[in-house]
Amino acid sequence: MMTADVGALVLVGDAELTTVRDRFLHDCGGLTALDLTPLSRITSVGDAFLGSCIGLKVLDLTPLVRLTSVGDWFLHDCGGLTALDLTPLAHLTSLGDRFLFGCDKLAALDLTPVAHITSVGSVFVGCCGCLKTLDVTSLARLTFVGSSFLRDCGGLTTLNLTPLSHIRSVGDAFLGRCIGLKVLDLTPLVRLTSVGHWFLGDCGGLMALDLTSLSRLTCVGDWFLGDCGGLTALDLTPLAHLTSVGLAFLVRCTGLTVLDLSPVTRLTSVEDRFLSECVGLTALDLTSLVHVTSVGDLFLAGCTGLTALDLTIPSPLPPHS
């Protein structure tokens, strides 16, 4: 019987074995070494292939050159891995949920070998906090990314999104809590029509952000740029087509001292904590909110820098054509 305490495991190959089912060696945290050579005929593996094998510091995937399909949670929570060569996975066209989620000691990851990828699941490489750089060139065929694409990759200091120019929608927490990013160029994402909750929430290191590429959006989810306290200026002009925003739209964007809301004249509702705890704001013109018929709780709660606020909103403008 396999136990989590095993330190080494010798796999004996079966010439007829081409598929490995779910949870092959899942949660075998005591494994410190594993030779995959006997699996050289494998073409597909199920979910959680080697998930939570936290004792593995090195893993040679070379024998898996015939793989064309991997399930979800492929190497999730393999927190001991410090490096990983994906070259043998060149035939893969999709990567499931939590592909390398929680591999938090990986300092670098080269995705270029997996050049045929057309889809990636949720939490693709989430919670890989030691990653300093990531080249996403091989993901140029993607049109959609799931939730938590690179969430909690706080070690990333730069990220070139140019290869993702075909993306039309992104799930929740696209780059949430990537606190190491100081600059992020969103201009390649010109085809975006939909973003989930927490788009760039908690990216507290961002000093500036150009929203031009988001001009097709008509709504944004909760915590759009919440807790982006490093932003000192933000031009909302590209968001002129927004009709609704989710909870905590710009909550705790403490670096903003001025915010021009005039571009967002189509808004009809705002949820809770719209601009709450934006302590740097000293003035705010609400005139553009003429079509808003409902305002959530804590609208401007904790905006302690405001010394005056005019809540007199003129009669609604004629409907937009």
Side-chain angles (χ1 to χ4, degrees), residues 75 82 103 119 133 137 219 255 289 315:
L75 293 175
T82 56
C103 292
S119 67
T133 60
T137 302
C219 63
L289 305 184
S315 300

Side-chain angles (χ1 to χ4, degrees), residues 193-196 216-221 224 241-246 267:
T193 58
S194 169
V195 298
R216 299 186 183 200
L217 296 183
T218 58
C219 63
V220 295
F224 178 60
H241 293 287
L242 284 187
T243 58
S244 65
V245 296
L267 276 183

Side-chain angles (χ1 to χ4, degrees), residues 158-174:
T158 61
L159 185 63
N160 181 8
L161 297 176
T162 302
L164 303 184
S165 61
H166 294 287
I167 295 289
R168 297 182 183 278
S169 64
V170 297
D172 297 345
F174 176 56

Side-chain angles (χ1 to χ4, degrees), residues 106 205 224 248 288 319:
L106 287 176
F224 178 60
S288 61

Side-chain angles (χ1 to χ4, degrees), residues 90 92-93 114-120 136-145 162-168:
L92 293 183
T93 57
V114 286
H116 301 290
I117 298 301
T118 58
S119 67
V120 297
V136 295
T137 302
S138 63
L139 305 183
R141 302 185 187 201
L142 294 183
T143 58
F144 165 79
V145 295
T162 302
L164 303 184
S165 61
H166 294 287
I167 295 289
R168 297 182 183 278

Side-chain angles (χ1 to χ4, degrees), residues 9-283:
L9 181 67
V10 177
L11 299 175
V12 178
D14 182 337
E16 303 301 319
L17 187 65
T18 59
T19 300
V20 169
R21 301 290 292 275
D22 296 348
R23 301 170 69 91
F24 177 57
L25 291 174
H26 180 260
D27 225 359
C28 290
L31 278 176
T32 56
L34 183 64
D35 181 4
L36 297 174
T37 302
L39 302 182
S40 61
R41 292 180 178 272
I42 296 294
T43 58
S44 67
V45 298
D47 296 345
F49 176 56
L50 295 175
S52 297
C53 289
I54 58 175
L56 291 174
K57 292 182 171 52
V58 177
L59 184 64
D60 182 6
L61 298 176
T62 302
L64 305 183
V65 291
R66 301 190 186 201
L67 267 188
T68 58
S69 171
V70 298
D72 298 335
W73 302 56
F74 180 58
L75 293 175
H76 83 96
D77 284 319
C78 287
L81 291 175
T82 56
L84 190 65
D85 182 3
L86 299 179
T87 303
L89 306 184
H91 295 294
L92 293 183
T93 57
S94 65
L95 303 173
D97 295 347
R98 296 180 177 241
F99 178 61
L100 293 174
F101 169 79
C103 292
D104 56 6
K105 287 188 173 58
L106 287 176
L109 184 64
D110 182 8
L111 294 175
T112 53
V114 286
H116 301 290
I117 298 301
T118 58
S119 67
V120 297
S122 301
V123 206
F124 172 53
V125 186
C127 294
C128 289
C130 285
L131 276 180
K132 304 296 183 193
T133 60
L134 186 66
D135 184 346
V136 295
T137 302
S138 63
L139 305 183
R141 302 185 187 201
L142 294 183
T143 58
F144 165 79
V145 295
S147 301
S148 301
F149 180 59
L150 293 175
R151 189 197 78 191
D152 280 308
C153 288
L156 287 175
T157 54
T158 61
L159 185 63
N160 181 8
L161 297 176
T162 302
L164 303 184
S165 61
H166 294 287
I167 295 289
R168 297 182 183 278
S169 64
V170 297
D172 297 345
F174 176 56
L175 295 175
R177 206 176 287 132
C178 286
I179 57 176
L181 292 174
K182 291 183 170 45
V183 177
L184 183 65
D185 182 9
L186 295 176
T187 54
L189 305 182
V190 291
R191 302 188 187 205
L192 263 188
T193 58
S194 169
V195 298
H197 302 312
W198 212 42
F199 178 58
L200 293 175
D202 219 355
C203 287
L206 284 175
M207 308 298 288
L209 193 64
D210 183 348
L211 301 178
T212 302
S213 62
L214 307 185
S215 61
R216 299 186 183 200
L217 296 183
T218 58
C219 63
V220 295
D222 300 345
W223 236 276
F224 178 60
L225 293 175
D227 285 303
C228 288
L231 291 174
T232 55
L234 189 64
D235 181 4
L236 297 179
T237 303
L239 303 183
H241 293 287
L242 284 187
T243 58
S244 65
V245 296
L247 301 172
F249 178 56
L250 294 175
V251 67
R252 281 193 294 273
C253 286
T254 54
L256 293 175
T257 55
V258 176
L259 183 65
D260 180 10
L261 294 176
S262 62
V264 290
T265 57
R266 301 188 184 210
L267 276 183
T268 58
S269 67
V270 295
E271 299 290 341
D272 299 348
R273 306 185 71 185
F274 180 59
L275 293 174
S276 68
E277 297 180 70
C278 288
V279 296
L281 289 176
T282 56

